Amino acid sequence: MTSSICSVLIYVPDVKAALDWYALAFKPAERRQIEELSFEYLDVSGVRLEIVPAYAKVTSGAAGSVVYWSVDDFDEGKERFMRAGASLYRGPMQVEDHKQMCMLRDPWGNCFGLHG
């Protein structure tokens, strides 16, 4: 079952500049690091704001932000959304702490993510 937003990804052409800007814009954002992935993100009141490189599938701009929902059982959550009509857009991929994440599209083409 879905519970809460765990992270918001923002796709940009310059990650360092955007991290600096969002750290100022989202005060009191705290910079955090996932050492094993050499990945820096911002913690905004318990929600991870992840600034990542834009690329061909997900560019910066209005379509560049995707909300990821935390699920207790990743495989069950992914399958439930797909049975409801979502399609897999990216992933799944392994992330920290033996968890997985993927991006799905709803029937209208909007993207959202699952993490668990």
Side-chain angles (χ1 to χ4, degrees), residues 3-9 26-32 41-50 67-70 96 99 115:
S3 58
S4 62
I5 296 171
C6 65
S7 62
V8 176
L9 273 67
F26 278 79
K27 285 195 183 245
E30 295 179 37
R31 288 182 184 254
R32 300 279 169 85
Y41 67 94
L42 301 172
D43 183 321
V44 180
S45 300
V47 175
R48 287 167 42 157
L49 191 58
E50 300 182 16
V67 175
Y68 276 73
W69 296 94
S70 177
E96 76 279 2
K99 293 184 180 181
H115 182 277

Side-chain angles (χ1 to χ4, degrees), residues 2-109:
T2 58
S3 58
S4 62
I5 296 171
C6 65
S7 62
V8 176
L9 273 67
I10 299 176
Y11 291 83
V12 297
D14 185 338
V15 171
K16 184 190 177 321
L19 268 170
D20 292 342
W21 186 88
Y22 278 95
L24 290 172
F26 278 79
K27 285 195 183 245
E30 295 179 37
R31 288 182 184 254
R32 300 279 169 85
Q33 183 85 22
I34 300 172
E35 296 296 332
E36 70 231 37
L37 301 176
S38 298
F39 182 71
E40 186 176 9
Y41 67 94
L42 301 172
D43 183 321
V44 180
S45 300
V47 175
R48 287 167 42 157
L49 191 58
E50 300 182 16
I51 313 301
V52 295
Y55 69 110
K57 275 194 166 186
V58 185
T59 61
S60 60
S65 297
V66 177
V67 175
Y68 276 73
W69 296 94
S70 177
V71 291
D72 293 330
D73 182 326
F74 178 84
D75 292 326
E76 188 278 330
K78 179 177 68 75
E79 292 305 315
R80 183 171 46 86
F81 280 107
M82 292 181 73
R83 282 192 306 269
S87 57
L88 188 61
Y89 187 68
R90 182 171 182 237
M93 64 182 71
Q94 291 293 130
V95 292
E96 76 279 2
D97 300 325
H98 306 289
K99 293 184 180 181
Q100 297 182 75
M101 65 187 290
C102 71
M103 192 182 301
L104 299 155
R105 287 185 121 175
D106 71 18
W108 304 274

